Amino acid sequence: MAARAYWQGQIRLALVSIPVEVYAATKSGASISFRQIHEPSGKPINYEKVVQGIGPIDRDDIVKGYEISKGNYVLLEDEEIEAVKIESRKTLELVQFVDAHEIDVFYFEKPYYVVPQDELAHEAFIVLREALRQKKKVALGQLSVRGRETLVSLKPCGKGLVLETLRYEDEVRKAQTYFKDIPDDKPDKEMLELAGTLIDKKSAPFDAGEFEDRYVDAIRKLIDKKAKAKGKTILEDVEEPAPSGGSNVIDLMSALKKSVKEEKPAKKRSSKKSSSSGKSGGKSGGKTRKSA
């Protein structure tokens, strides 16, 4: 494989060890980054390390500090921090198996592809993959990489496995904090059916290729125009929302009925496209879920 492995080691299930390689399943998108420029000179702006009341300081005088109270810090040397780092291990021990739906979507962080390291590992790898698929379970363990220990899950994905890094419990805010003021009212039955009809009309198999980052495309076009215009200001035309006539109060029932009548069904992918669009090569075990 052309990509560099994120981790190489062995997955251990009791006395069974499976040599594997782990590769990042995602890559940086087509993001646009900007530099701050000093307009009179056209030169990029750099940043100095400055101490209030002292001014610019030497980088050699910088140490890491943890604020324990306002203005009070515990200072730590790099050697002290290195000494407490978790030793990187080459074994991922599978310590628990859970149903996929038991893990809230908030815990999932980043996906990785897992493949057998060599032909000798194929048999054990396939046995683990199919056992997880048959039982509809997700395996859990902790992976030690670069001095830190990360909680991970493992599940089938086509002919391979997908490892996903998970957040620890204290990294996830409780939903109830935000949802507590939402009433428990039951919706009107007819409106619920109309909303369901709209959902049915707009339902289609997931295809990430159908979606594009329109902001990035627009910025790129703007940069191209500006480069050709030799730096002159270019203001893009922006469509103003049409003024709403009459009352601001929306009749939800009328809006739903009108939407059902006017909404066009979602585009259905052709069977040819559907069979070739999945990058993973097949369905994962359990319920389908879009990674965070």
Coordinates of all heavy atoms in Angstrom, one line a residue, residues 111-168:
P111 N -12.1 7.1 11.9 CA -12.0 5.7 11.4 C -10.7 5.4 10.8 O -10.0 6.2 10.2 CB -13.2 5.7 10.4 CG -13.2 7.1 9.8 CD -12.8 8.0 10.9
Y112 N -10.4 4.1 10.9 CA -9.1 3.5 10.3 C -9.5 2.2 9.7 O -10.3 1.4 10.2 CB -8.0 3.4 11.4 CG -7.5 4.7 11.9 CD1 -8.2 5.3 13.0 CD2 -6.4 5.3 11.4 CE1 -7.7 6.5 13.6 CE2 -5.9 6.5 12.0 CZ -6.6 7.1 13.0 OH -6.1 8.2 13.6
Y113 N -8.8 1.9 8.6 CA -8.9 0.5 8.0 C -7.9 -0.4 8.6 O -6.7 0.0 8.8 CB -8.7 0.6 6.5 CG -9.7 1.4 5.7 CD1 -9.4 2.3 4.8 CD2 -11.1 1.2 5.9 CE1 -10.3 3.0 4.0 CE2 -12.1 1.9 5.2 CZ -11.7 2.8 4.3 OH -12.6 3.5 3.6
V114 N -8.4 -1.6 8.9 CA -7.5 -2.6 9.5 C -7.4 -3.8 8.5 O -8.4 -4.3 8.0 CB -8.0 -3.2 10.8 CG1 -7.1 -4.2 11.4 CG2 -8.2 -2.0 11.8
V115 N -6.1 -4.2 8.2 CA -5.9 -5.3 7.2 C -4.9 -6.3 7.8 O -4.1 -5.9 8.6 CB -5.4 -4.7 5.9 CG1 -6.4 -3.8 5.2 CG2 -4.0 -4.0 6.0
P116 N -4.9 -7.5 7.3 CA -3.9 -8.5 7.8 C -2.5 -8.1 7.4 O -2.3 -7.5 6.3 CB -4.3 -9.8 7.1 CG -5.7 -9.6 6.6 CD -5.9 -8.1 6.4
Q117 N -1.5 -8.3 8.2 CA -0.2 -7.9 7.9 C 0.5 -8.8 6.8 O 1.3 -8.3 6.0 CB 0.7 -7.9 9.2 CG 1.9 -7.1 9.1 CD 2.6 -6.9 10.5 OE1 3.4 -7.8 10.8 NE2 2.2 -5.9 11.2
D118 N 0.1 -10.0 6.8 CA 0.6 -10.9 5.7 C -0.3 -12.1 5.5 O -1.4 -12.2 6.2 CB 2.0 -11.4 6.2 CG 2.0 -12.0 7.6 OD1 1.1 -12.7 7.9 OD2 3.0 -11.7 8.3
E119 N 0.0 -13.0 4.6 CA -0.9 -14.1 4.3 C -1.1 -15.0 5.4 O -2.2 -15.7 5.6 CB -0.3 -14.9 3.1 CG -0.4 -14.1 1.8 CD 0.1 -14.9 0.6 OE1 0.3 -16.1 0.8 OE2 0.2 -14.4 -0.5
L120 N -0.1 -15.2 6.3 CA -0.2 -16.1 7.5 C -1.3 -15.6 8.4 O -1.9 -16.4 9.2 CB 1.1 -16.2 8.2 CG 2.3 -16.8 7.4 CD1 3.6 -16.7 8.2 CD2 1.9 -18.2 7.0
A121 N -1.6 -14.3 8.4 CA -2.7 -13.8 9.3 C -4.1 -13.8 8.7 O -5.0 -13.5 9.4 CB -2.3 -12.3 9.6
H122 N -4.2 -14.2 7.4 CA -5.5 -14.2 6.8 C -6.6 -15.0 7.5 O -7.7 -14.6 7.7 CB -5.4 -14.6 5.3 CG -4.8 -13.6 4.4 ND1 -4.6 -13.8 3.1 CD2 -4.3 -12.4 4.7 CE1 -4.0 -12.7 2.6 NE2 -3.8 -11.8 3.5
E123 N -6.2 -16.2 7.8 CA -7.2 -17.1 8.4 C -7.8 -16.6 9.7 O -9.0 -16.5 9.9 CB -6.6 -18.5 8.6 CG -7.7 -19.5 9.1 CD -7.1 -20.9 9.3 OE1 -5.9 -21.1 9.4 OE2 -7.9 -21.9 9.3
A124 N -6.9 -16.2 10.6 CA -7.4 -15.7 11.9 C -8.1 -14.4 11.8 O -9.1 -14.2 12.5 CB -6.2 -15.5 12.9
F125 N -7.7 -13.6 10.9 CA -8.3 -12.3 10.6 C -9.8 -12.5 10.1 O -10.7 -11.9 10.6 CB -7.5 -11.5 9.5 CG -8.1 -10.1 9.2 CD1 -7.6 -9.0 9.9 CD2 -9.0 -9.9 8.2 CE1 -8.1 -7.7 9.6 CE2 -9.5 -8.7 7.9 CZ -9.0 -7.6 8.6
I126 N -10.0 -13.4 9.2 CA -11.3 -13.7 8.6 C -12.2 -14.3 9.7 O -13.4 -14.0 9.8 CB -11.1 -14.7 7.4 CG1 -10.5 -13.9 6.2 CG2 -12.5 -15.2 7.0 CD1 -10.1 -14.8 5.1
V127 N -11.6 -15.2 10.5 CA -12.4 -15.8 11.6 C -13.0 -14.7 12.5 O -14.1 -14.7 12.9 CB -11.6 -16.8 12.4 CG1 -12.4 -17.2 13.7 CG2 -11.4 -18.1 11.5
L128 N -12.1 -13.8 12.9 CA -12.5 -12.7 13.8 C -13.6 -11.8 13.2 O -14.6 -11.5 13.8 CB -11.3 -11.8 14.2 CG -11.6 -10.6 15.0 CD1 -12.3 -10.9 16.4 CD2 -10.3 -9.7 15.3
R129 N -13.3 -11.5 11.9 CA -14.2 -10.6 11.2 C -15.6 -11.2 11.1 O -16.7 -10.6 11.4 CB -13.7 -10.3 9.8 CG -14.6 -9.4 8.9 CD -14.1 -9.5 7.5 NE -14.5 -10.8 6.9 CZ -13.9 -11.4 5.8 NH1 -12.9 -10.7 5.2 NH2 -14.3 -12.5 5.3
E130 N -15.7 -12.5 10.7 CA -17.0 -13.1 10.5 C -17.7 -13.5 11.9 O -18.9 -13.5 11.9 CB -16.8 -14.4 9.7 CG -16.4 -14.2 8.3 CD -17.3 -13.2 7.6 OE1 -18.6 -13.4 7.6 OE2 -16.8 -12.2 7.1
A131 N -16.9 -13.7 12.9 CA -17.5 -13.9 14.2 C -18.2 -12.6 14.7 O -19.3 -12.6 15.3 CB -16.4 -14.4 15.2
L132 N -17.5 -11.5 14.5 CA -18.1 -10.2 14.9 C -19.4 -9.9 14.1 O -20.4 -9.4 14.6 CB -17.1 -9.1 14.7 CG -15.9 -9.0 15.6 CD1 -14.9 -8.0 15.2 CD2 -16.4 -8.6 17.0
R133 N -19.3 -10.2 12.8 CA -20.4 -10.0 11.9 C -21.6 -10.9 12.3 O -22.8 -10.5 12.4 CB -20.0 -10.3 10.5 CG -21.2 -10.1 9.5 CD -20.6 -10.1 8.0 NE -20.0 -8.8 7.7 CZ -18.9 -8.6 7.0 NH1 -18.2 -9.7 6.5 NH2 -18.4 -7.4 6.8
Q134 N -21.3 -12.2 12.6 CA -22.4 -13.1 12.9 C -23.1 -12.7 14.3 O -24.3 -12.8 14.4 CB -21.8 -14.5 13.0 CG -22.8 -15.6 13.3 CD -22.2 -17.0 13.4 OE1 -21.6 -17.3 14.4 NE2 -22.2 -17.8 12.3
K135 N -22.3 -12.3 15.2 CA -22.8 -12.0 16.5 C -23.3 -10.5 16.6 O -23.9 -10.1 17.6 CB -21.7 -12.1 17.6 CG -21.3 -13.6 17.8 CD -22.5 -14.4 18.4 CE -22.1 -15.8 18.7 NZ -23.2 -16.6 19.2
K136 N -23.0 -9.7 15.5 CA -23.4 -8.3 15.4 C -22.9 -7.5 16.6 O -23.6 -6.8 17.3 CB -25.0 -8.2 15.3 CG -25.6 -8.8 14.1 CD -27.1 -8.7 14.0 CE -27.6 -9.3 12.8 NZ -29.1 -9.2 12.7
K137 N -21.6 -7.8 16.9 CA -21.0 -7.1 18.0 C -19.8 -6.2 17.5 O -19.3 -6.4 16.4 CB -20.4 -8.2 19.0 CG -21.4 -9.1 19.6 CD -22.2 -8.3 20.7 CE -23.2 -9.2 21.4 NZ -23.9 -8.4 22.5
V138 N -19.5 -5.3 18.4 CA -18.3 -4.4 18.2 C -17.3 -4.7 19.3 O -17.7 -4.8 20.5 CB -18.8 -2.9 18.2 CG1 -17.6 -2.0 18.2 CG2 -19.7 -2.6 17.1
A139 N -16.1 -4.9 18.9 CA -15.0 -5.1 19.9 C -14.5 -3.8 20.5 O -14.3 -2.8 19.8 CB -13.9 -6.0 19.3
L140 N -14.1 -3.8 21.8 CA -13.5 -2.7 22.4 C -12.1 -3.0 23.0 O -11.9 -4.1 23.4 CB -14.4 -2.1 23.5 CG -15.8 -1.6 23.1 CD1 -16.5 -1.2 24.4 CD2 -15.7 -0.5 22.1
G141 N -11.2 -2.0 22.9 CA -9.9 -2.2 23.5 C -9.2 -0.8 23.6 O -9.8 0.2 23.3
Q142 N -8.0 -0.8 24.1 CA -7.2 0.4 24.2 C -5.9 0.3 23.4 O -5.1 -0.6 23.7 CB -7.0 0.8 25.7 CG -8.3 1.3 26.4 CD -8.1 1.6 27.8 OE1 -7.9 0.6 28.6 NE2 -8.1 2.8 28.2
L143 N -5.7 1.3 22.5 CA -4.5 1.3 21.7 C -3.5 2.3 22.2 O -3.9 3.5 22.5 CB -5.0 1.6 20.2 CG -3.9 1.5 19.1 CD1 -3.7 0.0 18.9 CD2 -4.4 2.1 17.8
S144 N -2.3 1.9 22.4 CA -1.2 2.8 22.9 C -0.4 3.3 21.7 O 0.3 2.5 21.1 CB -0.4 2.1 23.9 OG 0.7 2.9 24.3
V145 N -0.5 4.6 21.4 CA 0.3 5.2 20.3 C 0.8 6.5 20.7 O 0.1 7.4 21.3 CB -0.6 5.4 19.0 CG1 0.2 6.0 17.9 CG2 -1.2 4.1 18.6
R146 N 2.1 6.8 20.5 CA 2.8 8.0 20.7 C 2.6 8.5 22.1 O 2.2 9.7 22.4 CB 2.2 9.1 19.7 CG 2.6 8.8 18.3 CD 1.9 9.6 17.3 NE 2.0 9.1 15.9 CZ 1.2 9.4 14.9 NH1 0.1 10.1 15.2 NH2 1.4 8.9 13.7
G147 N 2.7 7.6 23.1 CA 2.7 8.0 24.5 C 1.3 8.2 25.1 O 1.2 8.5 26.3
R148 N 0.2 8.0 24.3 CA -1.1 8.1 24.8 C -1.9 6.8 24.6 O -1.7 6.1 23.6 CB -1.8 9.3 24.2 CG -1.1 10.6 24.5 CD -2.0 11.8 24.1 NE -3.2 11.9 24.9 CZ -4.1 12.9 24.8 NH1 -3.9 13.8 23.9 NH2 -5.1 12.9 25.6
E149 N -2.9 6.6 25.5 CA -3.7 5.4 25.3 C -5.1 5.8 24.9 O -5.8 6.7 25.5 CB -3.8 4.7 26.7 CG -4.2 3.2 26.5 CD -4.0 2.4 27.8 OE1 -4.2 3.0 28.9 OE2 -3.5 1.3 27.7
T150 N -5.5 5.3 23.7 CA -6.8 5.7 23.1 C -7.8 4.5 23.1 O -7.5 3.4 22.8 CB -6.6 6.1 21.6 OG1 -5.6 7.1 21.6 CG2 -7.8 6.6 21.0
L151 N -9.0 4.8 23.5 CA -10.1 3.8 23.5 C -10.5 3.6 22.0 O -10.7 4.6 21.3 CB -11.3 4.3 24.3 CG -12.5 3.4 24.4 CD1 -12.2 2.1 25.0 CD2 -13.7 4.1 25.1
V152 N -10.6 2.4 21.6 CA -11.0 2.1 20.2 C -12.1 1.0 20.1 O -12.2 0.2 21.0 CB -9.8 1.7 19.4 CG1 -8.7 2.8 19.3 CG2 -9.2 0.4 19.9
S153 N -12.8 1.0 19.0 CA -13.7 0.0 18.7 C -13.3 -0.7 17.4 O -12.6 -0.1 16.6 CB -15.2 0.5 18.5 OG -15.2 1.3 17.3
L154 N -13.8 -1.9 17.2 CA -13.4 -2.7 16.0 C -14.6 -3.4 15.5 O -15.4 -4.1 16.2 CB -12.3 -3.7 16.4 CG -11.5 -4.4 15.3 CD1 -10.6 -3.4 14.6 CD2 -10.7 -5.5 15.8
K155 N -14.9 -3.3 14.2 CA -16.1 -3.9 13.6 C -15.8 -4.3 12.1 O -14.9 -3.8 11.5 CB -17.3 -3.0 13.7 CG -17.2 -1.8 12.8 CD -18.5 -0.9 12.9 CE -18.4 0.3 12.0 NZ -19.6 1.1 12.1
P156 N -16.6 -5.3 11.6 CA -16.4 -5.7 10.2 C -16.8 -4.6 9.2 O -17.6 -3.7 9.5 CB -17.4 -6.8 10.1 CG -17.7 -7.3 11.4 CD -17.7 -6.0 12.3
C157 N -16.1 -4.6 8.1 CA -16.4 -3.6 7.0 C -15.9 -4.3 5.7 O -14.8 -4.3 5.4 CB -15.6 -2.3 7.2 SG -15.9 -1.1 6.0
G158 N -16.9 -4.8 5.0 CA -16.6 -5.5 3.7 C -15.7 -6.7 4.0 O -16.0 -7.5 4.9
K159 N -14.5 -6.8 3.3 CA -13.6 -7.9 3.5 C -12.6 -7.6 4.7 O -11.8 -8.4 5.0 CB -12.8 -8.1 2.2 CG -13.7 -8.7 1.1 CD -12.9 -9.4 0.0 CE -12.0 -8.4 -0.7 NZ -11.2 -9.0 -1.8
G160 N -12.7 -6.3 5.2 CA -11.7 -5.9 6.2 C -12.4 -5.6 7.6 O -13.5 -6.0 7.8
L161 N -11.7 -4.9 8.4 CA -12.2 -4.4 9.7 C -12.0 -2.9 9.7 O -11.1 -2.3 9.1 CB -11.4 -5.0 10.8 CG -11.6 -6.5 11.0 CD1 -10.6 -7.0 12.0 CD2 -13.0 -6.9 11.5
V162 N -12.8 -2.2 10.5 CA -12.7 -0.8 10.7 C -12.5 -0.6 12.2 O -13.2 -1.0 13.0 CB -13.9 0.0 10.2 CG1 -13.9 1.4 10.8 CG2 -13.9 0.1 8.7
L163 N -11.4 0.2 12.5 CA -11.1 0.6 13.9 C -11.5 2.0 14.0 O -11.1 2.9 13.1 CB -9.6 0.4 14.2 CG -9.1 0.8 15.5 CD1 -7.9 -0.1 16.0 CD2 -8.6 2.2 15.5
E164 N -12.2 2.4 15.0 CA -12.6 3.8 15.2 C -12.1 4.2 16.6 O -12.4 3.5 17.6 CB -14.1 4.0 15.1 CG -14.6 3.8 13.7 CD -16.1 4.1 13.6 OE1 -16.5 5.2 13.4 OE2 -16.8 3.1 13.6
T165 N -11.4 5.4 16.7 CA -11.0 5.9 18.0 C -12.3 6.5 18.6 O -13.1 7.1 18.0 CB -10.0 7.0 17.8 OG1 -10.4 8.0 16.9 CG2 -8.7 6.4 17.2
L166 N -12.4 6.3 19.9 CA -13.5 6.8 20.7 C -13.1 7.8 21.7 O -12.0 7.8 22.2 CB -14.2 5.6 21.4 CG -14.7 4.4 20.6 CD1 -15.2 3.3 21.5 CD2 -15.7 4.9 19.6
R167 N -14.0 8.7 22.0 CA -13.8 9.7 23.1 C -14.0 9.0 24.5 O -14.9 8.1 24.6 CB -14.7 10.9 23.0 CG -14.4 11.7 21.7 CD -15.4 12.8 21.5 NE -15.1 13.6 20.3 CZ -15.6 13.4 19.2 NH1 -16.5 12.4 19.0 NH2 -15.3 14.1 18.1
Y168 N -13.3 9.4 25.5 CA -13.6 8.9 26.8 C -14.8 9.6 27.4 O -15.2 10.7 26.9 CB -12.4 9.1 27.8 CG -11.2 8.2 27.5 CD1 -10.1 8.6 26.8 CD2 -11.3 6.9 27.9 CE1 -9.1 7.8 26.5 CE2 -10.2 6.0 27.7 CZ -9.1 6.4 26.9 OH -8.1 5.6 26.7

